[in-house]
Tab-separated table of all heavy atoms in Angstrom:
chain	number	residue	atom	x	y	z
T	201	GLN	N	7.107	30.961	-28.166
T	201	GLN	CA	6.930	29.530	-28.380
T	201	GLN	C	8.261	28.818	-28.056
T	201	GLN	O	9.121	28.647	-28.925
T	201	GLN	CB	6.484	29.245	-29.816
T	201	GLN	CG	6.048	27.813	-30.058
T	201	GLN	CD	5.231	27.243	-28.914
T	201	GLN	OE1	5.768	26.565	-28.036
T	201	GLN	NE2	3.933	27.531	-28.891
T	202	PRO	N	8.433	28.416	-26.786
T	202	PRO	CA	9.698	27.814	-26.358
T	202	PRO	C	10.080	26.543	-27.125
T	202	PRO	O	11.266	26.247	-27.275
T	202	PRO	CB	9.464	27.500	-24.877
T	202	PRO	CG	8.370	28.418	-24.461
T	202	PRO	CD	7.501	28.575	-25.670
T	203	ARG	N	9.077	25.807	-27.604
T	203	ARG	CA	9.398	24.571	-28.325
T	203	ARG	C	10.266	24.857	-29.548
T	203	ARG	O	11.051	24.006	-29.973
T	203	ARG	CB	8.100	23.858	-28.739
T	203	ARG	CG	8.337	22.446	-29.218
T	203	ARG	CD	7.042	21.733	-29.545
T	203	ARG	NE	6.173	21.527	-28.380
T	203	ARG	CZ	5.152	20.671	-28.365
T	203	ARG	NH1	4.888	19.932	-29.437
T	203	ARG	NH2	4.397	20.548	-27.290
T	204	HIS	N	10.149	26.061	-30.086
T	204	HIS	CA	10.951	26.456	-31.245
T	204	HIS	C	11.965	27.544	-30.882
T	204	HIS	O	12.550	28.157	-31.772
T	204	HIS	CB	10.030	26.918	-32.371
T	204	HIS	CG	8.962	25.911	-32.696
T	204	HIS	ND1	9.249	24.644	-33.164
T	204	HIS	CD2	7.609	25.967	-32.568
T	204	HIS	CE1	8.109	23.969	-33.325
T	204	HIS	NE2	7.117	24.755	-32.971
T	205	ASN	N	12.102	27.777	-29.565
T	205	ASN	CA	13.102	28.725	-29.063
T	205	ASN	C	12.937	30.105	-29.702
T	205	ASN	O	13.904	30.732	-30.122
T	205	ASN	CB	14.526	28.210	-29.302
T	205	ASN	CG	15.552	28.999	-28.508
T	205	ASN	OD1	15.296	29.412	-27.381
T	205	ASN	ND2	16.709	29.233	-29.106
T	206	VAL	N	11.688	30.584	-29.747
T	206	VAL	CA	11.454	31.844	-30.458
T	206	VAL	C	10.379	32.677	-29.758
T	206	VAL	O	9.482	32.136	-29.100
T	206	VAL	CB	11.034	31.582	-31.920
T	206	VAL	CG1	9.639	30.962	-31.999
T	206	VAL	CG2	11.115	32.847	-32.766
T	207	MET	N	10.515	33.975	-29.886
T	207	MET	CA	9.465	34.917	-29.513
T	207	MET	C	9.330	35.934	-30.637
T	207	MET	O	10.319	36.321	-31.259
T	207	MET	CB	9.802	35.640	-28.207
T	207	MET	CG	8.704	36.596	-27.757
T	207	MET	SD	9.089	37.425	-26.202
T	207	MET	CE	10.167	38.745	-26.797
T	208	MET	N	8.095	36.344	-30.903
T	208	MET	CA	7.826	37.355	-31.916
T	208	MET	C	7.211	38.580	-31.243
T	208	MET	O	6.348	38.442	-30.364
T	208	MET	CB	6.834	36.821	-32.959
T	208	MET	CG	7.293	35.589	-33.699
T	208	MET	SD	8.589	35.987	-34.873
T	208	MET	CE	8.677	34.477	-35.817
T	209	SER	N	7.626	39.764	-31.659
T	209	SER	CA	7.011	40.986	-31.141
T	209	SER	C	6.693	41.927	-32.295
T	209	SER	O	7.262	41.822	-33.382
T	209	SER	CB	7.927	41.675	-30.127
T	209	SER	OG	9.082	42.204	-30.747
T	210	THR	N	5.771	42.868	-32.037
T	210	THR	CA	5.294	43.762	-33.087
T	210	THR	C	5.483	45.224	-32.677
T	210	THR	O	5.977	45.522	-31.587
T	210	THR	CB	3.821	43.500	-33.418
T	210	THR	OG1	3.045	43.665	-32.214
T	210	THR	CG2	3.627	42.097	-33.965
T	211	GLU	N	5.057	46.136	-33.556
T	211	GLU	CA	5.300	47.561	-33.361
T	211	GLU	C	4.023	48.381	-33.559
T	211	GLU	O	3.328	48.219	-34.566
T	211	GLU	CB	6.344	48.067	-34.368
T	211	GLU	CG	7.708	47.377	-34.268
T	211	GLU	CD	8.738	48.020	-35.173
T	211	GLU	OE1	8.373	48.484	-36.275
T	211	GLU	OE2	9.919	48.069	-34.776
T	212	TRP	N	3.771	49.281	-32.615
T	212	TRP	CA	2.709	50.274	-32.795
T	212	TRP	C	3.374	51.592	-33.171
T	212	TRP	O	3.685	51.813	-34.332
T	212	TRP	CB	1.870	50.390	-31.520
T	212	TRP	CG	0.635	51.246	-31.645
T	212	TRP	CD1	0.152	51.837	-32.786
T	212	TRP	CD2	-0.280	51.606	-30.607
T	212	TRP	NE1	-0.999	52.534	-32.515
T	212	TRP	CE2	-1.286	52.414	-31.196
T	212	TRP	CE3	-0.346	51.325	-29.243
T	212	TRP	CZ2	-2.352	52.939	-30.438
T	212	TRP	CZ3	-1.412	51.850	-28.510
T	212	TRP	CH2	-2.393	52.642	-29.092
T	213	GLY	N	3.623	52.455	-32.198
T	213	GLY	CA	4.252	53.730	-32.514
T	213	GLY	C	4.797	54.386	-31.265
T	213	GLY	O	4.710	53.845	-30.158
T	214	ALA	N	5.369	55.568	-31.420
T	214	ALA	CA	5.897	56.323	-30.294
T	214	ALA	C	4.737	56.849	-29.453
T	214	ALA	O	3.803	57.454	-29.993
T	214	ALA	CB	6.757	57.475	-30.788
T	215	PRO	N	4.761	56.659	-28.143
T	215	PRO	CA	3.648	57.119	-27.299
T	215	PRO	C	3.313	58.591	-27.475
T	215	PRO	O	2.136	58.962	-27.494
T	215	PRO	CB	4.152	56.814	-25.880
T	215	PRO	CG	5.078	55.659	-26.057
T	215	PRO	CD	5.759	55.890	-27.376
T	216	LYS	N	4.321	59.448	-27.624
T	216	LYS	CA	4.016	60.878	-27.735
T	216	LYS	C	3.373	61.217	-29.083
T	216	LYS	O	2.770	62.283	-29.222
T	216	LYS	CB	5.284	61.713	-27.530
T	216	LYS	CG	6.405	61.481	-28.514
T	216	LYS	CD	7.624	62.295	-28.105
T	216	LYS	CE	8.811	62.081	-29.035
T	216	LYS	NZ	10.010	62.822	-28.567
T	217	ALA	N	3.464	60.315	-30.059
T	217	ALA	CA	2.783	60.534	-31.339
T	217	ALA	C	1.334	60.061	-31.294
T	217	ALA	O	0.451	60.685	-31.873
T	217	ALA	CB	3.529	59.819	-32.463
T	218	LEU	N	1.077	58.957	-30.612
T	218	LEU	CA	-0.260	58.354	-30.657
T	218	LEU	C	-1.142	58.715	-29.466
T	218	LEU	O	-2.337	58.406	-29.464
T	218	LEU	CB	-0.148	56.833	-30.771
T	218	LEU	CG	0.601	56.072	-29.656
T	218	LEU	CD1	-0.287	55.739	-28.483
T	218	LEU	CD2	1.224	54.796	-30.233
T	219	ALA	N	-0.586	59.394	-28.467
T	219	ALA	CA	-1.285	59.579	-27.192
T	219	ALA	C	-2.634	60.264	-27.334
T	219	ALA	O	-3.592	59.916	-26.631
T	219	ALA	CB	-0.403	60.359	-26.219
T	220	TYR	N	-2.749	61.235	-28.233
T	220	TYR	CA	-3.991	62.011	-28.299
T	220	TYR	C	-4.713	61.896	-29.639
T	220	TYR	O	-5.662	62.613	-29.898
T	220	TYR	CB	-3.694	63.472	-27.976
T	220	TYR	CG	-3.221	63.647	-26.550
T	220	TYR	CD1	-1.872	63.800	-26.259
T	220	TYR	CD2	-4.122	63.605	-25.499
T	220	TYR	CE1	-1.431	63.934	-24.942
T	220	TYR	CE2	-3.694	63.733	-24.181
T	220	TYR	CZ	-2.351	63.894	-23.913
T	220	TYR	OH	-1.919	64.017	-22.611
T	221	GLY	N	-4.262	60.990	-30.491
T	221	GLY	CA	-4.943	60.810	-31.767
T	221	GLY	C	-3.982	60.286	-32.815
T	221	GLY	O	-2.792	60.091	-32.562
T	222	PHE	N	-4.522	60.047	-34.012
T	222	PHE	CA	-3.713	59.500	-35.103
T	222	PHE	C	-3.505	60.565	-36.173
T	222	PHE	O	-4.456	61.183	-36.648
T	222	PHE	CB	-4.402	58.286	-35.717
T	222	PHE	CG	-3.667	57.712	-36.896
T	222	PHE	CD1	-2.460	57.062	-36.726
T	222	PHE	CD2	-4.174	57.845	-38.180
T	222	PHE	CE1	-1.770	56.544	-37.803
T	222	PHE	CE2	-3.497	57.328	-39.276
T	222	PHE	CZ	-2.288	56.680	-39.079
T	223	ASN	N	-2.241	60.758	-36.548
T	223	ASN	CA	-1.875	61.707	-37.599
T	223	ASN	C	-1.073	60.954	-38.647
T	223	ASN	O	0.012	60.434	-38.354
T	223	ASN	CB	-1.053	62.856	-36.999
T	223	ASN	CG	-0.721	63.932	-38.031
T	223	ASN	OD1	-0.796	63.711	-39.236
T	223	ASN	ND2	-0.332	65.108	-37.555
T	224	LEU	N	-1.593	60.894	-39.874
T	224	LEU	CA	-0.921	60.142	-40.933
T	224	LEU	C	0.475	60.678	-41.207
T	224	LEU	O	1.372	59.928	-41.621
T	224	LEU	CB	-1.769	60.181	-42.205
T	224	LEU	CG	-1.403	59.184	-43.314
T	224	LEU	CD1	-1.463	57.750	-42.815
T	224	LEU	CD2	-2.311	59.367	-44.527
T	225	GLU	N	0.701	61.952	-40.950
T	225	GLU	CA	2.034	62.524	-41.151
T	225	GLU	C	3.061	61.872	-40.228
T	225	GLU	O	4.237	61.773	-40.577
T	225	GLU	CB	2.007	64.047	-40.922
T	225	GLU	CG	1.270	64.819	-42.007
T	225	GLU	CD	1.887	64.610	-43.388
T	225	GLU	OE1	3.133	64.709	-43.496
T	225	GLU	OE2	1.130	64.336	-44.335
T	226	HIS	N	2.619	61.430	-39.055
T	226	HIS	CA	3.548	60.773	-38.128
T	226	HIS	C	4.058	59.451	-38.692
T	226	HIS	O	5.166	59.018	-38.364
T	226	HIS	CB	2.868	60.536	-36.781
T	226	HIS	CG	2.673	61.791	-35.992
T	226	HIS	ND1	1.714	61.911	-34.994
T	226	HIS	CD2	3.308	62.998	-36.044
T	226	HIS	CE1	1.777	63.122	-34.470
T	226	HIS	NE2	2.729	63.798	-35.099
T	227	VAL	N	3.236	58.789	-39.511
T	227	VAL	CA	3.697	57.562	-40.174
T	227	VAL	C	4.836	57.906	-41.124
T	227	VAL	O	5.882	57.241	-41.137
T	227	VAL	CB	2.545	56.874	-40.933
T	227	VAL	CG1	3.055	55.632	-41.672
T	227	VAL	CG2	1.419	56.500	-39.975
T	228	LYS	N	4.643	58.969	-41.908
T	228	LYS	CA	5.677	59.390	-42.859
T	228	LYS	C	6.941	59.852	-42.145
T	228	LYS	O	8.049	59.741	-42.684
T	228	LYS	CB	5.131	60.509	-43.743
T	228	LYS	CG	3.923	60.108	-44.575
T	228	LYS	CD	3.323	61.294	-45.327
T	228	LYS	CE	2.062	60.903	-46.074
T	228	LYS	NZ	1.422	62.071	-46.747
T	229	GLU	N	6.781	60.365	-40.927
T	229	GLU	CA	7.928	60.840	-40.153
T	229	GLU	C	8.648	59.721	-39.408
T	229	GLU	O	9.620	59.969	-38.695
T	229	GLU	CB	7.469	61.906	-39.159
T	229	GLU	CG	6.987	63.193	-39.818
T	229	GLU	CD	6.276	64.116	-38.839
T	229	GLU	OE1	6.340	63.837	-37.606
T	229	GLU	OE2	5.657	65.100	-39.288
T	230	GLY	N	8.171	58.498	-39.564
T	230	GLY	CA	8.836	57.364	-38.933
T	230	GLY	C	8.495	57.159	-37.477
T	230	GLY	O	9.258	56.508	-36.744
T	231	LEU	N	7.334	57.668	-37.041
T	231	LEU	CA	6.940	57.529	-35.644
T	231	LEU	C	6.039	56.322	-35.401
T	231	LEU	O	5.570	56.115	-34.283
T	231	LEU	CB	6.241	58.805	-35.166
T	231	LEU	CG	7.139	60.050	-35.129
T	231	LEU	CD1	6.334	61.286	-34.750
T	231	LEU	CD2	8.304	59.860	-34.164
T	232	TYR	N	5.787	55.543	-36.441
T	232	TYR	CA	5.064	54.276	-36.327
T	232	TYR	C	5.901	53.165	-36.952
T	232	TYR	O	6.710	53.412	-37.852
T	232	TYR	CB	3.695	54.352	-37.008
T	232	TYR	CG	2.676	55.154	-36.230
T	232	TYR	CD1	2.572	56.525	-36.391
T	232	TYR	CD2	1.821	54.521	-35.332
T	232	TYR	CE1	1.632	57.271	-35.669
T	232	TYR	CE2	0.875	55.251	-34.613
T	232	TYR	CZ	0.793	56.618	-34.787
T	232	TYR	OH	-0.119	57.342	-34.065
T	233	GLY	N	5.677	51.928	-36.484
T	233	GLY	CA	6.497	50.815	-36.925
T	233	GLY	C	5.884	49.994	-38.044
T	233	GLY	O	4.714	50.155	-38.399
T	234	SER	N	6.695	49.082	-38.585
T	234	SER	CA	6.230	48.180	-39.649
T	234	SER	C	6.960	46.836	-39.596
T	234	SER	O	7.029	46.138	-40.594
T	234	SER	CB	6.458	48.825	-41.024
T	234	SER	OG	7.841	49.056	-41.245
T	235	LYS	N	7.480	46.463	-38.431
T	235	LYS	CA	8.315	45.262	-38.347
T	235	LYS	C	7.803	44.242	-37.336
T	235	LYS	O	7.177	44.585	-36.337
T	235	LYS	CB	9.747	45.659	-37.968
T	235	LYS	CG	10.457	46.498	-39.016
T	235	LYS	CD	11.846	46.915	-38.549
T	235	LYS	CE	12.532	47.796	-39.594
T	235	LYS	NZ	13.853	48.273	-39.126
T	236	ILE	N	8.092	42.988	-37.656
T	236	ILE	CA	7.999	41.894	-36.691
T	236	ILE	C	9.428	41.602	-36.232
T	236	ILE	O	10.334	41.441	-37.062
T	236	ILE	CB	7.406	40.611	-37.311
T	236	ILE	CG1	5.999	40.858	-37.854
T	236	ILE	CG2	7.396	39.477	-36.299
T	236	ILE	CD1	5.448	39.656	-38.612
T	237	HIS	N	9.632	41.529	-34.932
T	237	HIS	CA	10.963	41.218	-34.406
T	237	HIS	C	11.006	39.771	-33.930
T	237	HIS	O	10.075	39.288	-33.267
T	237	HIS	CB	11.331	42.171	-33.269
T	237	HIS	CG	11.371	43.607	-33.714
T	237	HIS	ND1	12.406	44.114	-34.464
T	237	HIS	CD2	10.483	44.615	-33.550
T	237	HIS	CE1	12.165	45.387	-34.726
T	237	HIS	NE2	11.003	45.718	-34.191
T	238	VAL	N	12.079	39.092	-34.275
T	238	VAL	CA	12.277	37.681	-33.935
T	238	VAL	C	13.348	37.610	-32.852
T	238	VAL	O	14.459	38.115	-33.039
T	238	VAL	CB	12.704	36.869	-35.163
T	238	VAL	CG1	12.843	35.395	-34.812
T	238	VAL	CG2	11.725	37.064	-36.326
T	239	TRP	N	13.027	36.975	-31.733
T	239	TRP	CA	13.929	36.900	-30.591
T	239	TRP	C	14.280	35.447	-30.285
T	239	TRP	O	13.436	34.559	-30.405
T	239	TRP	CB	13.274	37.507	-29.353
T	239	TRP	CG	12.775	38.905	-29.523
T	239	TRP	CD1	11.620	39.315	-30.148
T	239	TRP	CD2	13.401	40.100	-29.054
T	239	TRP	NE1	11.488	40.678	-30.090
T	239	TRP	CE2	12.566	41.202	-29.414
T	239	TRP	CE3	14.580	40.368	-28.349
T	239	TRP	CZ2	12.883	42.514	-29.106
T	239	TRP	CZ3	14.887	41.677	-28.036
T	239	TRP	CH2	14.053	42.741	-28.413
T	240	ASP	N	15.512	35.223	-29.860
T	240	ASP	CA	15.928	33.915	-29.360
T	240	ASP	C	15.392	33.784	-27.933
T	240	ASP	O	15.747	34.576	-27.058
T	240	ASP	CB	17.455	33.805	-29.382
T	240	ASP	CG	17.952	32.423	-28.977
T	240	ASP	OD1	17.698	32.011	-27.825
T	240	ASP	OD2	18.617	31.765	-29.798
T	241	TRP	N	14.533	32.803	-27.701
T	241	TRP	CA	13.871	32.665	-26.411
T	241	TRP	C	14.858	32.340	-25.284
T	241	TRP	O	14.673	32.745	-24.137
T	241	TRP	CB	12.790	31.593	-26.492
T	241	TRP	CG	11.962	31.459	-25.261
T	241	TRP	CD1	11.865	30.378	-24.440
T	241	TRP	CD2	11.088	32.453	-24.688
T	241	TRP	NE1	10.997	30.625	-23.411
T	241	TRP	CE2	10.506	31.893	-23.536
T	241	TRP	CE3	10.752	33.756	-25.051
T	241	TRP	CZ2	9.601	32.593	-22.732
T	241	TRP	CZ3	9.858	34.461	-24.256
T	241	TRP	CH2	9.300	33.886	-23.127
T	242	THR	N	15.931	31.634	-25.611
T	242	THR	CA	16.892	31.220	-24.588
T	242	THR	C	17.897	32.312	-24.252
T	242	THR	O	18.142	32.609	-23.078
T	242	THR	CB	17.657	29.958	-25.054
T	242	THR	OG1	16.724	28.926	-25.361
T	242	THR	CG2	18.607	29.474	-23.959
T	243	THR	N	18.459	32.945	-25.275
T	243	THR	CA	19.507	33.945	-25.044
T	243	THR	C	18.967	35.363	-24.929
T	243	THR	O	19.682	36.272	-24.505
T	243	THR	CB	20.544	33.923	-26.181
T	243	THR	OG1	19.910	34.353	-27.407
T	243	THR	CG2	21.111	32.526	-26.369
T	244	HIS	N	17.702	35.569	-25.340
T	244	HIS	CA	17.030	36.880	-25.304
T	244	HIS	C	17.607	37.860	-26.328
T	244	HIS	O	17.389	39.062	-26.235
T	244	HIS	CB	17.098	37.512	-23.907
T	244	HIS	CG	16.528	36.651	-22.819
T	244	HIS	ND1	16.369	37.094	-21.520
T	244	HIS	CD2	16.068	35.364	-22.814
T	244	HIS	CE1	15.846	36.127	-20.775
T	244	HIS	NE2	15.665	35.070	-21.544
T	245	LYS	N	18.333	37.349	-27.294
T	245	LYS	CA	18.893	38.213	-28.336
T	245	LYS	C	17.874	38.442	-29.447
T	245	LYS	O	17.090	37.549	-29.780
T	245	LYS	CB	20.152	37.586	-28.932
T	245	LYS	CG	21.347	37.542	-27.988
T	245	LYS	CD	22.585	36.985	-28.673
T	245	LYS	CE	23.069	37.917	-29.768
T	245	LYS	NZ	24.337	37.446	-30.375
T	246	ARG	N	17.901	39.632	-30.023
T	246	ARG	CA	17.052	39.920	-31.185
T	246	ARG	C	17.780	39.418	-32.427
T	246	ARG	O	18.847	39.912	-32.783
T	246	ARG	CB	16.763	41.418	-31.264
T	246	ARG	CG	15.811	41.797	-32.375
T	246	ARG	CD	15.024	43.063	-32.045
T	246	ARG	NE	15.861	44.205	-31.687
T	246	ARG	CZ	16.156	45.220	-32.509
T	246	ARG	NH1	15.685	45.212	-33.754
T	246	ARG	NH2	16.888	46.215	-32.098
T	247	LEU	N	17.175	38.429	-33.093
T	247	LEU	CA	17.826	37.750	-34.208
T	247	LEU	C	17.507	38.369	-35.564
T	247	LEU	O	18.369	38.473	-36.434
T	247	LEU	CB	17.415	36.268	-34.239
T	247	LEU	CG	17.706	35.449	-32.994
T	247	LEU	CD1	17.159	34.036	-33.169
T	247	LEU	CD2	19.207	35.410	-32.714
Side-chain angles (χ1 to χ4, degrees):
Q201 190 40 264
R203 192 177 295 196
H204 307 298
N205 194 36
V206 69
M207 182 179 81
M208 300 287 192
S209 69
T210 58
E211 300 186 325
W212 188 5
K216 61 185 178 183
L218 59 86
Y220 295 101
F222 177 70
N223 184 342
L224 194 58
E225 290 301 313
H226 288 158
V227 177
K228 299 174 184 177
E229 293 168 10
L231 295 176
Y232 286 87
S234 62
K235 295 177 182 177
I236 300 174
H237 299 285
V238 183
W239 305 78
D240 185 298
W241 186 243
T242 304
T243 66
H244 304 187
K245 291 184 66 175
R246 184 152 54 102
L247 302 177

